[in-house]
Amino acid sequence: MSDEAHSLAVLIDFENLALGFERSGQGGRGKGSAPAPFDIKAVLERLVEKGKLIVKRAYADWGRFSQYREVMHDAGIQMMEIPERGMTGKNYADIQLAVDALDLCYSKMHIDTFVIVSGDSDFTPLVSKLKENGKAVIGLGMKDSTSDLLAANCDEFIYYEDIVRAPSGPAVPLTSIPKAKRPAIKLLIEAVEALQRENKDVMYSSMVKDTMKRKQPQFSESSYGYRSFSELLQDAETMGVITLRKDQRSGTWVVEGFANGK
């Protein structure tokens, strides 16, 4: 994935995720109980690091997963209703997702990246077809329920467990940051973590701010009393959150990492 902003279509095989939760032991405790809450917000926050989320769709018999309707709605995800399997056959959701993906591939040329949220090997031909048409494909699923074939065919595969695992941030606790500035510093930390996950060796200040804006479009450093983004970065360095250096050629700030060396 290059440094330019990408346009993503996120297609979620929600029933596959629910099964993955049950197999991994993250589901309900008793037989027939509902699966544990799937943190869709964490997933979308991870994916927004890749670019703009243009399309967000999830496929399921939502009568079976009614507890997720509100969180899906709040996340702006279009819930595609798939009738119960006894009426349509077990692969109906897979077929509908694949048809929608190919329709978007051919009709929405500005979408350059597809995210298939599933571990089902049945999507491997779809991944190959999307790549034939010049699209990048990112897979996302549970470790225990993801096909090795699917993961190997994607340009990148992200495991859900790695998303929800607590990241290693700066040594300075967030509680030591002045309360009025805490939201901005927290967002800055998340942006630096995101760029580190994307293996960005040089984190220019503009890249950091762009990532912060993708995560929170309403972000503005002036809302926290800073006259410029550079001033925010310098303040964060003074607080012991990040380390900075000046780029000799452009004269702009570069974030080297967190102050604890991570």
Side-chain angles (χ1 to χ4, degrees):
M1 308 288 284
S2 64
D3 291 342
E4 64 185 25
H6 294 276
S7 296
L8 280 65
V10 182
L11 305 176
I12 305 170
D13 178 10
F14 195 81
E15 295 200 10
N16 179 268
L17 292 177
L19 290 172
F21 262 73
E22 291 170 3
R23 291 173 189 167
S24 66
Q26 297 188 58
R29 295 179 182 176
K31 185 178 180 181
S33 59
F38 181 76
D39 195 347
I40 190 62
K41 183 179 178 183
V43 169
L44 296 180
E45 286 180 353
R46 178 68 177 91
L47 294 177
V48 82
E49 297 167 6
K50 303 287 184 180
K52 298 177 182 178
L53 308 186
I54 306 298
V55 176
K56 295 178 287 185
R57 296 178 186 171
Y59 302 78
D61 174 4
W62 292 106
R64 294 177 56 204
F65 302 102
S66 57
Q67 71 271 31
Y68 286 98
R69 284 183 178 273
E70 185 176 352
V71 69
M72 289 287 175
H73 180 270
D74 290 346
I77 296 173
Q78 185 179 3
M79 289 173 282
M80 309 300 289
E81 186 67 49
I82 304 299
E84 60 180 284
R85 291 190 173 196
M87 297 171 58
T88 60
K90 74 180 187 68
N91 292 324
Y92 187 81
D94 298 5
I95 294 169
Q96 188 60 57
L97 189 155
V99 168
D100 286 358
L102 292 174
D103 177 55
L104 290 167
C105 174
Y106 295 128
S107 64
K108 308 293 184 186
M109 301 304 293
H110 59 287
I111 295 177
D112 59 16
T113 304
F114 283 78
V115 183
I116 307 299
V117 185
S118 178
D120 195 337
S121 62
D122 288 351
F123 289 115
T124 304
L126 171 63
V127 170
S128 298
K129 182 60 67 174
L130 291 170
K131 291 170 70 175
E132 281 178 24
N133 283 274
K135 308 297 184 181
V137 182
I138 300 170
L140 193 153
M142 306 284 295
K143 288 183 178 179
D144 290 343
S145 59
T146 292
S147 159
D148 291 339
L149 180 63
L150 176 67
N153 274 273
C154 293
D155 294 297
E156 178 183 358
F157 202 93
I158 301 170
Y159 288 108
Y160 174 78
E161 292 88 341
D162 294 335
I163 294 175
V164 296
R165 184 182 299 125
S168 58
V172 59
L174 202 60
T175 51
S176 68
I177 307 298
K179 192 172 182 179
K181 297 180 178 180
R182 206 172 292 167
I185 300 302
K186 181 176 182 292
L187 184 58
L188 171 62
I189 292 169
E190 291 173 358
V192 172
E193 288 171 344
L195 291 168
Q196 288 180 334
R197 279 192 292 266
E198 293 299 302
N199 298 314
K200 303 298 183 186
D201 295 326
V202 181
M203 292 182 280
Y204 293 103
S205 59
S206 57
M207 292 171 59
V208 176
K209 185 172 181 178
D210 286 347
T211 303
M212 293 171 71
K213 292 282 284 184
R214 284 211 301 272
K215 283 180 170 291
Q216 287 188 19
Q218 73 274 24
F219 167 76
S220 173
E221 61 272 9
S222 61
S223 300
Y224 302 96
Y226 297 107
R227 291 171 294 179
S228 66
F229 188 67
S230 294
E231 189 174 297
L232 185 155
L233 292 177
Q234 290 173 282
D235 194 25
E237 184 178 46
T238 301
M239 295 175 189
V241 176
I242 58 173
T243 57
L244 298 171
R245 67 173 173 83
K246 269 283 182 72
D247 181 65
Q248 295 299 317
R249 202 164 54 172
S250 65
T252 59
W253 288 111
V254 172
V255 178
E256 292 194 306
F258 292 119
N260 60 359
K262 294 185 180 179

